[in-house]
């Protein structure tokens, strides 16, 4: 993301913090392996062929693209440092634009994936009896096609016109609005879930309906809690990067702002680490996914 890391000639006592390239390589390769494992696990295990896991697979796919993109960018940096590539050559600049487009695409895709998962959890909890009629696999595939097509086009347009202040503002505003929408959706979901829990608790103790309701509600809420953890992790990992963009717009020549911008590479490390943390959360929260990982890693027979 060279375009986003351009610094003005500003007098500042804060030197740029340099992160060793091997660290970027390590994070990129580990996250790439983990997210590919999630994608393959969802594809191979028929028990995971549900809308929620399809959206999780989509999120892992976007994380994979982000990891692969940053790994390739680091390879280019290494070749440029040894004189094998021109940092400002025409072909190198075009390739850098492609990688920046893919990174923007992965960010937008992550937001849309979280939104799709949140809506899916809402329907699961509060429209359980109609869930399979509402969230069919056909509709799920159509939603995924729309998400990937929209993100691909948006990623290209954002990088192509990123020098325009309007595009940068739209990028930041999209991030903030998306966070607000998903946040209020989760708050509303948990508030309604609390009301439903009270209604279930008010049913007769010996009622079979109460037992079924408690099991279904407990399973749905565990899924919602998992996705809340994923979303919180996403916000923590991406927020410093977007604060960097806001600082570029608001105070591009202020020495104090320059001190924060000097931490750009640390922000990129945090951003890339998000792709490592997500699969760990999947595995920790989902017994079915843990079992699938175990079978894949131990090359067990699939039944």
């Amino acid at each position: 993301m060279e375009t986003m890391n351009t610094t003005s000639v500003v007098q500042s006592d804060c030197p740029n913090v340099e992160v060793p390239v091997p660290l970027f390589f390590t994070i990129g390769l580990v996250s790439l392996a983990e997210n590919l494992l999630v994608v393959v696990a969802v594809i191979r295990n028929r028990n995971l062929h549900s809308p929620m896991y399809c959206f999780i697979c989509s999120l892992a796919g976007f994380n994979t693209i982000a990891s692969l993109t940053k790994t390739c960018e680091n390879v280019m940096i290494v070749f440029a440092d040894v004189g094998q590539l021109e940092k400002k050559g025409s072909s190198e600049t075009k390739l850098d634009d492609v990688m920046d487009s893919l990174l923007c695409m992965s960010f937008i895709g992550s937001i849309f994936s979280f939104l799709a998962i949140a809506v899916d959890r809402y329907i699961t909890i509060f429209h359980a009896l109609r869930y399979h009629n509402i969230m069919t696999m056909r509709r799920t595939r159509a939603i995924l096609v729309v998400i990937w097509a929209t993100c691909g086009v948006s990623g290209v347009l954002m990088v192509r016109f990123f020098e325009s202040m309007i595009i940068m503002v739209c990028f930041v505003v999209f991030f903030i609005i998306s966070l607000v929408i998903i946040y209020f959706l989760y708050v509303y979901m948990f508030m309604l879930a609390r009301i439903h829990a009270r209604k279930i608790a008010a049913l007769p103790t010996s009622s079979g309906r109460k037992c079924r309701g408690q099991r279904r509600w407990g399973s749905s809420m565990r899924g919602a809690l998992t996705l809340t953890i994923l979303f919180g992790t996403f916000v923590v990992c991406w927020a410093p990067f977007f604060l960097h963009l806001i600082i570029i717009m608001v105070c591009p020549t202020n020495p104090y702002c320059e001190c924060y911008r000097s931490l750009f590479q640390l922000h990129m490390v945090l951003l890339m680490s998000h792709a490592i943390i997500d699969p760990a959360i999947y595995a920790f929260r989902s017994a079915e996914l843990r079992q699938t990982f175990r079978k894949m890693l131990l090359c067990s027979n699939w039944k």
Side-chain angles (χ1 to χ4, degrees):
M1 302 287 284
E2 295 297 331
T3 305
M4 301 179 190
N5 193 30
T6 54
T7 56
S8 306
V9 180
V10 182
Q11 295 297 326
S12 174
D13 295 330
C14 305
N16 286 331
V17 177
E18 299 290 337
V19 175
V21 173
L23 179 59
F24 278 117
F25 270 123
T26 302
I27 295 175
L29 293 176
V30 172
S31 60
L32 180 61
E34 285 186 355
N35 284 281
L36 283 176
L37 189 65
V38 172
V39 173
V40 174
V42 173
I43 292 174
R44 293 191 63 179
N45 189 343
R46 292 185 177 274
N47 294 332
L48 300 178
H49 290 185
S50 64
M52 185 188 75
Y53 279 104
C54 287
F55 294 135
I56 286 179
C57 186
S58 174
L59 179 60
F62 285 117
N63 283 340
T64 300
I65 290 175
S67 301
L68 190 60
T69 299
K70 287 305 299 177
T71 302
C72 291
E73 189 173 63
N74 289 326
V75 171
M76 288 183 61
I77 292 173
V78 171
F79 278 106
D81 289 342
V82 298
Q84 298 298 316
L85 284 176
E86 296 182 24
K87 291 186 177 181
K88 299 299 182 181
S90 58
S91 58
E92 288 79 7
T93 300
K94 291 179 181 178
L95 184 56
D96 186 63
D97 287 343
V98 169
M99 290 189 291
D100 286 350
S101 297
L102 290 174
L103 196 59
C104 290
M105 172 186 171
S106 68
F107 159 73
I108 301 171
S110 297
I111 284 287
F112 278 126
S113 295
F114 279 118
L115 185 58
I117 293 170
V119 172
D120 176 79
R121 288 297 88 194
Y122 176 84
I123 297 173
T124 301
I125 296 172
F126 302 108
H127 301 279
L129 298 179
R130 298 172 49 214
Y131 175 78
H132 293 291
N133 294 327
I134 298 174
M135 290 300 298
T136 63
M137 290 303 295
R138 183 176 180 180
R139 287 179 180 172
T140 300
R141 285 191 289 268
I143 292 171
L144 289 175
V145 169
V146 171
I147 288 176
W148 281 79
T150 302
C151 294
V153 173
S154 300
V156 172
L157 292 177
M158 281 187 172
V159 173
R160 176 66 179 82
F161 301 103
F162 195 80
E163 294 298 329
S164 170
M165 185 61 68
I166 295 178
I167 294 296
M168 193 179 295
V169 170
C170 289
F171 199 35
V172 174
V173 170
F174 170 75
F175 177 69
I176 295 174
I177 291 178
S178 299
L179 294 188
V180 172
I181 291 174
I182 297 175
Y183 171 76
F184 278 106
L185 184 59
Y186 276 122
V187 170
Y188 181 63
M189 188 188 310
F190 281 108
M191 287 177 62
L192 289 182
R194 188 175 180 181
I195 296 174
H196 278 233
R198 290 176 178 174
K199 290 181 179 179
I200 293 174
L203 293 173
T205 306
S206 60
S207 172
R209 181 185 173 190
K210 177 176 181 177
C211 295
R212 290 192 299 272
Q214 285 178 332
R215 286 195 297 268
R216 184 172 65 243
W217 180 83
S219 176
S220 299
M221 289 310 299
R222 280 195 298 273
L225 181 59
T226 299
L227 299 173
T228 304
I229 295 172
L230 288 171
F231 180 65
T233 303
F234 174 82
V235 173
V236 170
C237 291
W238 280 84
F241 170 73
F242 272 86
L243 182 57
H244 179 94
L245 297 184
I246 293 173
I247 286 176
I248 291 177
M249 294 185 293
V250 176
C251 54
T253 59
N254 187 295
Y256 296 103
C257 293
E258 192 69 15
C259 283
Y260 183 84
R261 291 177 60 186
S262 68
L263 303 175
F264 179 78
Q265 290 197 16
L266 291 180
H267 303 158
M268 295 306 297
V269 168
L270 190 59
L271 185 150
M272 292 176 65
S273 298
H274 171 250
I276 293 180
I277 299 171
D278 271 4
I281 296 174
Y282 305 149
F284 179 75
R285 300 287 301 179
S286 172
E288 185 71 37
L289 203 52
R290 282 200 306 273
Q291 185 178 6
T292 305
F293 288 158
R294 191 178 300 112
K295 287 182 177 180
M296 291 172 58
L297 295 174
L298 297 178
C299 299
S300 302
N301 292 328
W302 290 79
K303 297 182 181 181

